[in-house]
């Protein structure tokens, strides 16, 4: 019997802060003995969220994805592990390294993507997007076309190309954040940059795909949207460059996220009387976390676990009550 309920999972970008989302999912899997991949019909992920989405689609447990961040995150961002950074020599090295990277970022990307590349290959190998057990939607941006680019599994008859791409290339494309990593060139020669420049919160992308491409009815849609922390932004009424110089990126990201959630609310028929979209993103003190600050991994994991604890009753009712129909690529 076909399950009429269609459940969407949308995973925000946020660099190393993606460990919060991964821990949220791992806590849910371990508390319920349900695999996330068995209970969602479509997963959209941007940047670090795209890496998590690919991992789930290729059969990794959420705990394995958490371990990927814990074990490889410090190396990817050229930093020491938490236990090493706590020593006096580690603190000295961290300060010197941070200053060096900050100076580099003025002219070149802050990090060499080689370590991210090798880390992803160690986990994904040569597997392709087409081997995903989930319908996936992974936003990126084509630098030469100056246009949106969304990697998709073969879940519709017109999707004939993306499924052949290596998962590693898709991950590097969606995570190539400007000023942090250089653009990633696909085997075709197409230069790709981080989908976060237009869809850091992909909840809207997910619902558009569900309604516009897959033709799913709004009455059957349920959306779980997971963010990687949000800081409060104080915007002066008479803002000039001096007021927004260090706030503009956060402001643009916040605006995009609000618009994305509005799209999800509208296309799913969400209302207070009949809630269909559920967003979890803890608010944090400004400057406490950063997308490349690996010393806060454990604190981020704690936030993810706490959010999952709060969400469990809702998840059991709306998302984990019955497995999703098996995805069979066209």
């Amino acid at each position: 019997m076909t399950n009429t309920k269609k459940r969407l999972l949308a995973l925000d970008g946020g660099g190393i802060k993606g460990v919060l989302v991964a821990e949220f999912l791992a806590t849910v899997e371990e508390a319920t003995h349900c695999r996330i991949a068995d209970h969602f019909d479509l997963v959209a992920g941007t940047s670090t969220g795209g890496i998590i989405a690919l991992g789930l689609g290729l059969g990794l447990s959420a705990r394995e994805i958490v371990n990927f961040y814990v074990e490889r995150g410090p190396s990817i961002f050229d930093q020491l592990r938490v236990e090493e950074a706590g020593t006096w020599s580690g603190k000295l090295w961290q300060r010197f390294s941070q200053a060096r990277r900050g100076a580099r970022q003025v002219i070149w990307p802050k990090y060499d993507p080689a370590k991210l590349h090798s880390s992803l290959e160690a986990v994904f190998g040569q597997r392709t997007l087409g081997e995903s057990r989930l319908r996936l939607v992974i936003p990126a941006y084509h630098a030469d076309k100056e246009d949106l680019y969304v990697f998709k599994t073969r879940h519709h008859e017109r999707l004939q190309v993306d499924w052949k791409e290596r998962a590693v290339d898709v991950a590097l494309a969606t995570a190539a954040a400007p000023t942090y990593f250089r653009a990633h060139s696909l085997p075709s020669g197409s230069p790709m940059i981080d989908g976060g420049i237009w869809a850091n919160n992909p909840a809207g992308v997910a619902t558009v795909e569900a309604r516009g491409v897959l033709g799913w009815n709004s009455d059957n849609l349920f959306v779980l949207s997971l963010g990687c922390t949000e800081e409060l932004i104080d915007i002066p009424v008479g803002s000039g460059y001096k007021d927004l110089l260090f706030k503009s990126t956060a402001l643009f990201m916040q605006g995009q996220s609000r618009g994305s959630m509005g799209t999800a609310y509208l296309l799913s028929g969400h209302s207070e009387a009949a809630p269909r979209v559920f967003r979890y993103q803890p608010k944090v003190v400004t400057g406490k976390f950063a997308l490349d600050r690996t010393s806060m991994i454990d604190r981020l994991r704690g936030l993810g676990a706490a959010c999952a604890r709060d969400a469990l009753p809702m998840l059991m009712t709306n998302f984990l009550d019955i497995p999703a129909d098996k995805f069979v690529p066209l």
Side-chain angles (χ1 to χ4, degrees):
M1 181 178 178
T2 301
N3 180 14
T4 58
K5 180 185 286 188
K6 301 299 181 183
R7 287 152 291 190
L8 317 182
L9 176 62
L11 309 174
D12 283 21
I16 198 63
K17 294 189 292 181
V19 73
L20 185 159
V21 171
E23 185 65 44
F24 180 107
L25 298 174
T27 300
V28 171
E29 285 193 341
E30 291 165 2
T32 63
H33 305 290
C34 295
R35 288 182 68 89
I36 295 298
D38 295 335
H39 288 266
F40 284 87
D41 300 279
L42 174 70
V43 179
T46 302
S47 196
T48 195
I51 293 173
I52 296 172
L54 286 161
L56 294 172
L58 293 175
L60 274 66
S61 69
R63 180 57 60 198
E64 288 175 310
I65 298 173
V66 170
N67 292 339
F68 170 83
Y69 282 91
V70 173
E71 295 168 6
R72 298 183 178 272
S75 174
I76 291 169
F77 290 109
D78 191 26
Q79 295 172 39
L80 298 176
R81 290 178 177 270
V82 175
E83 60 272 17
E84 298 170 322
T87 64
W88 70 267
S89 59
K91 291 178 180 178
L92 184 64
W93 185 89
Q94 289 279 50
R95 288 182 181 179
F96 169 76
S97 183
Q98 183 179 16
R100 175 177 56 83
R101 290 192 302 268
R104 171 190 170 96
Q105 194 175 17
V106 174
I107 302 174
W108 299 289
K110 193 173 184 179
Y111 301 103
D112 185 335
K115 292 179 180 178
L116 175 59
H117 194 155
S118 61
S119 295
L120 289 168
E121 284 195 328
V123 177
F124 295 156
Q126 297 301 310
R127 286 181 288 179
T128 65
L129 182 62
E131 295 178 60
S132 172
R133 61 192 288 186
L134 285 165
R135 297 176 185 84
L136 296 181
V137 176
I138 312 291
Y141 193 85
H142 196 296
D144 282 344
K145 279 188 67 183
E146 298 183 1
D147 201 0
L148 314 184
Y149 199 102
V150 185
F151 294 95
K152 302 180 183 182
T153 47
R154 204 173 182 184
H155 51 255
H156 189 276
E157 59 185 10
R158 69 178 177 82
L159 304 175
Q160 300 289 333
V161 177
D162 295 346
W163 65 275
K164 302 174 186 176
E165 299 284 2
R166 290 195 315 152
V168 168
D169 284 315
V170 177
L172 289 169
T174 191
T179 78
Y180 286 90
F181 295 112
R182 64 175 178 267
H184 177 68
S185 293
L186 297 178
S188 65
S190 297
M192 296 290 170
I193 59 177
D194 195 328
I197 68 169
W198 68 277
N200 198 61
N201 174 345
V205 175
T207 49
V208 167
E209 189 75 11
R211 293 292 310 279
V213 177
L214 293 165
W216 292 343
N217 193 302
S218 62
D219 292 340
N220 299 327
L221 293 186
F222 287 81
V223 184
L224 175 62
S225 175
L226 302 180
C228 302
T229 75
E230 181 178 38
E231 298 178 348
L232 296 177
I233 305 173
D234 181 21
I235 305 171
V237 176
S239 300
Y241 280 121
K242 65 179 178 61
D243 301 306
L244 293 179
L245 184 60
F246 299 107
K247 299 178 180 179
S248 57
T249 299
L251 177 61
F252 296 152
M253 289 291 188
Q254 185 185 81
Q256 182 275 319
S257 182
R258 298 292 191 271
S260 181
M261 294 308 298
T263 300
Y265 292 144
L266 180 65
L267 294 182
S268 66
H270 172 90
S271 68
E272 290 188 8
R276 299 185 185 280
V277 181
F278 303 87
R279 172 78 168 168
Y280 290 89
Q281 177 173 247
K283 294 186 183 298
V284 298
V285 175
T286 299
K288 186 172 185 177
F289 302 102
L291 63 81
D292 61 345
R293 187 177 300 160
T294 62
S295 61
M296 299 297 279
I297 283 179
D298 286 344
R299 301 284 289 277
L300 288 163
R301 290 178 59 195
L303 273 177
C307 289
R309 176 178 178 272
D310 294 339
L312 271 172
M314 181 280 299
L315 293 172
M316 293 296 294
T317 300
N318 296 296
F319 294 94
L320 305 178
D321 50 335
I322 183 172
D325 293 329
K326 184 179 180 180
F327 166 48
V328 179
L330 296 176

